[in-house]
Amino acid sequence: MEGSTEPITERSWLRCYRCWSQELEVQVHYEGIHRIDATTGERAEVVDEIQEAVVQCLDCMHDQPHLGFQNGRVEPIEDRWERMIAGTPWVASCTVAVEADSVESCSGPEAADSLAFAAFGDFGTREFFTHVRFHKHDEDQIVVHLLVELYARSPEEASGVLEDAARGVLAITSLAEESRPPASTGADRH
Ligand SMILES: [Zn+2]
């Protein structure tokens, strides 16, 4: 496990936060509305544009929520990359009590995502590995019971991140450190 003791250096962030691989790719979705130049027919100034990018590891196929894509290059997301690169996985068993109105759907194929999003917002669907175990209706509230895996450098940081991300009343019943997934050598893809 030499990877986990490496010092943080310049560009330490430019790799997969789980397996350390530097084999990354970015999927960019661009949608734009442009004026048309009346003489040349060329695409001219932008009326409206949306760009969405997801960086993914080619070795373990995980999304990289500590990396963003701007102006043609991948950049670290402040307040997140150091924790995820230098951290280890923590698994929390917890509940979040949210307003029932904030859950888009609590049954059917969308339920797990809706409940994870209601509990932890984008963190629940983009960063954490969230497993919704079950949920209970309590008058106009829904109590979501979850197992969450997230990366942090200490138990205090892990619970702090969970508290900041929670969109309702959070109760952590257990929090345990897991071992890091093995570092990828790039040679043992399967
Ligand atoms: Zn990876």
Side-chain angles (χ1 to χ4, degrees):
M1 286 302 297
E2 56 176 354
S4 57
T5 55
E6 269 177 38
I8 295 271
T9 54
E10 205 190 344
R11 308 223 166 244
S12 326
W13 47 266
L14 194 50
R15 58 179 173 179
C16 174
Y17 75 98
R18 296 188 88 239
C19 76
W20 306 123
S21 170
Q22 292 192 298
E23 300 287 325
L24 304 175
E25 71 179 9
V26 63
Q27 290 169 16
V28 186
H29 300 274
Y30 176 81
E31 230 173 84
I33 302 172
H34 296 249
R35 296 295 296 257
I36 302 294
D37 186 302
T39 355
T40 64
E42 277 170 22
R43 181 169 79 166
E45 81 258 32
V46 173
V47 179
D48 196 12
E49 63 182 347
I50 305 169
Q51 180 180 296
E52 276 177 36
V54 177
V55 180
Q56 226 181 30
C57 172
L58 284 175
D59 282 319
C60 72
M61 302 314 291
H62 275 283
D63 284 1
Q64 305 295 311
H66 67 301
L67 299 174
F69 183 73
Q70 228 137 49
N71 306 319
R73 79 171 61 227
V74 167
E75 288 175 350
I77 294 175
E78 293 305 325
D79 304 334
R80 189 181 281 181
W81 74 267
E82 286 191 54
R83 167 172 64 79
M84 293 181 68
I85 289 289
T88 51
W90 292 80
V91 174
S93 172
C94 60
T95 60
V96 184
V98 296
E99 297 299 320
D101 294 351
S102 68
V103 180
E104 211 166 286
S105 109
C106 67
S107 63
E110 308 288 308
D113 265 2
S114 296
L115 290 161
F117 185 79
F120 290 116
D122 281 335
F123 284 88
T125 49
R126 287 265 291 124
E127 184 194 316
F128 305 159
F129 298 91
T130 312
H131 171 65
V132 176
R133 297 162 71 203
F134 59 93
H135 70 281
K136 277 184 182 163
H137 291 258
D138 182 11
E139 290 176 7
D140 52 0
Q141 292 224 312
I142 292 180
V143 182
V144 192
H145 294 248
L146 316 102
L147 276 181
V148 179
E149 185 191 294
L150 74 155
Y151 276 66
R153 289 164 289 191
S154 66
E156 293 75 25
E157 187 174 59
S159 43
V161 169
L162 285 169
E163 262 154 41
D164 290 347
R167 300 168 82 207
V169 179
L170 169 76
I172 300 175
T173 30
S174 74
L175 180 67
E177 188 176 12
E178 301 278 296
S179 56
R180 214 172 218 296
S184 167
T185 59
D188 58 351
R189 281 186 213 177
H190 32 201

